[in-house]
Amino acid sequence: MMISRRLFSIALAATFAVPLLNAAPAAASDKVIRIGYQKYGTLVLLKGKGLLERKLEQIGYTVTWAEFPAGPQLLEALNVGAVDFGTTGETPPIFAQAAGAPLVYVAHEPPAPRGEAILVPKGSPIQNVADLKGKTVALNKGSNVHFLLVKALEEAGLKYSDIKTSFLPPADARAAFEQGAVDAWVIWDPFQAAAELAIEARELRNGEGIVPNHQFYLGAKPFVDGHPEAVDTVIAAVAEIDEWTKANPAAAAAELAPSVGIPADVLAVALARQSYGVKALDDSIVKQQQAIADTFFDLGLIPNRISIANAVRKGGA
């Protein structure tokens, strides 16, 4: 059933509410960039190395950091003016844009389709995606894996309504998965790698051949428009970290392990499935992202059609 934009916005805010300690949008004269990051990925390494602080200091800016459990929560913070910039997968910005968030796509990383998957417990009788009919699947609502689930069901000849969904953040979903409260779990790295190695969760289907699994760097439009030099500086720093991580995966895994609380050997698996090489969005990426948005509208998961092209940064990085 289609839902109204107003009800959707209220539901999204309630679902992804976060503590807002500094919710006032940054003025064009404020030389500080507030970055939201998740527990894993390039921005964690960027924060740990202090590279961005050094680069921003050269242009008179400072940076503050805020951690979020997943992309939807991060973009809800961006929507209400608590952060200026962050990174998420493909799906969170679609839900956020449909709710009216003033976001801008700044750049993206190449596809990493193996970095997300539908998992089942080691001894599960479920052997393929078609076996999920009537079963309960855990996932983080509005996250990247939401689209993976939709496309995997479609590939298997099932409708989204053929399964039951249990919307849980990663930690709660892992607990429900281990306790047998759900039949399957759709999740991304490094949580995916951790479940595969620690509890021998079995991969039912990853994104290869059905979803690209891009990571996007996003900014609040008022900040991106008012602080282009700072945004370009962040993307340049990300590009440096990308190159270092690609050349030094073992060192990157060791450096990430203490901050994310996941063993380095698990992170090494996840990093091997990641992609590197930040760049601006081209027409093909916009088209792919638009296809996801259109799919969610057709399923009634967002209340209105949106234009991805209208939310892409013009010029810059």
Side-chain angles (χ1 to χ4, degrees), residues 270-311:
L271 288 171
R273 298 192 286 221
Q274 197 169 320
S275 60
Y276 306 95
V278 64
K279 60 180 67 175
L281 280 69
D282 59 23
D283 289 344
S284 67
I285 302 301
V286 172
K287 185 177 180 180
Q288 289 175 35
Q289 190 70 351
Q290 187 65 54
I292 299 174
D294 292 344
T295 296
F296 282 164
F297 174 75
D298 292 340
L299 288 171
L301 295 174
I302 59 174
N304 50 283
R305 291 195 183 277
I306 60 172
S307 169
I308 301 300
N310 288 345

Side-chain angles (χ1 to χ4, degrees), residues 31 56 58-59 61 224 226-235 313:
K31 290 205 163 187
L56 286 173
Q58 295 172 14
I59 59 171
Y61 278 78
V224 173
H227 304 262
E229 187 178 14
V231 174
D232 290 342
T233 300
V234 174
I235 296 303
R313 186 190 188 198

Side-chain angles (χ1 to χ4, degrees), residues 99-311:
L103 62 83
V104 176
Y105 289 83
V106 174
H108 76 98
E109 302 279 6
R114 294 170 54 236
E116 59 179 1
I118 302 172
L119 304 178
V120 294
K122 177 184 178 182
S124 173
I126 296 171
Q127 296 301 314
N128 52 57
V129 175
D131 291 341
L132 292 176
K133 186 171 184 178
K135 300 294 192 294
T136 300
V137 180
L139 69 152
N140 193 78
K141 184 179 182 181
S143 65
N144 229 31
V145 296
H146 212 143
F147 188 57
L148 169 61
L149 177 60
V150 168
K151 296 305 288 184
L153 292 170
E154 180 183 288
E155 180 189 53
L158 297 180
K159 296 179 292 186
Y160 185 70
S161 58
D162 284 333
I163 64 160
K164 302 169 187 175
T165 52
S166 178
F167 294 128
L168 297 169
D172 293 339
R174 166 75 179 258
F177 184 76
E178 288 194 63
Q179 293 163 9
V182 297
D183 300 293
W185 179 24
V186 200
I187 189 59
W188 60 89
D189 275 328
F191 306 106
Q192 173 188 343
E196 289 169 337
L197 294 177
I199 59 173
E200 298 184 68
R202 176 164 49 86
E203 183 182 286
L204 203 62
R205 182 70 166 96
N206 64 34
E208 287 187 299
I210 52 174
V211 297
N213 189 31
H214 287 109
Q215 289 292 308
F216 289 105
Y217 295 94
L218 304 133
K221 183 171 171 49
F223 187 90
V224 173
D225 290 347
H227 304 262
E229 187 178 14
V231 174
D232 290 342
T233 300
V234 174
I235 296 303
V238 167
E240 284 192 35
I241 292 294
D242 263 7
E243 286 301 310
W244 179 81
T245 306
K246 187 176 180 180
N248 304 277
E255 191 164 319
L256 274 171
S259 62
V260 303
I262 294 175
D265 59 339
V266 173
L267 291 175
V269 172
L271 288 171
R273 298 192 286 221
Q274 197 169 320
S275 60
Y276 306 95
V278 64
K279 60 180 67 175
L281 280 69
D282 59 23
D283 289 344
S284 67
I285 302 301
V286 172
K287 185 177 180 180
Q288 289 175 35
Q289 190 70 351
Q290 187 65 54
I292 299 174
D294 292 344
T295 296
F296 282 164
F297 174 75
D298 292 340
L299 288 171
L301 295 174
I302 59 174
N304 50 283
R305 291 195 183 277
I306 60 172
S307 169
I308 301 300
N310 288 345

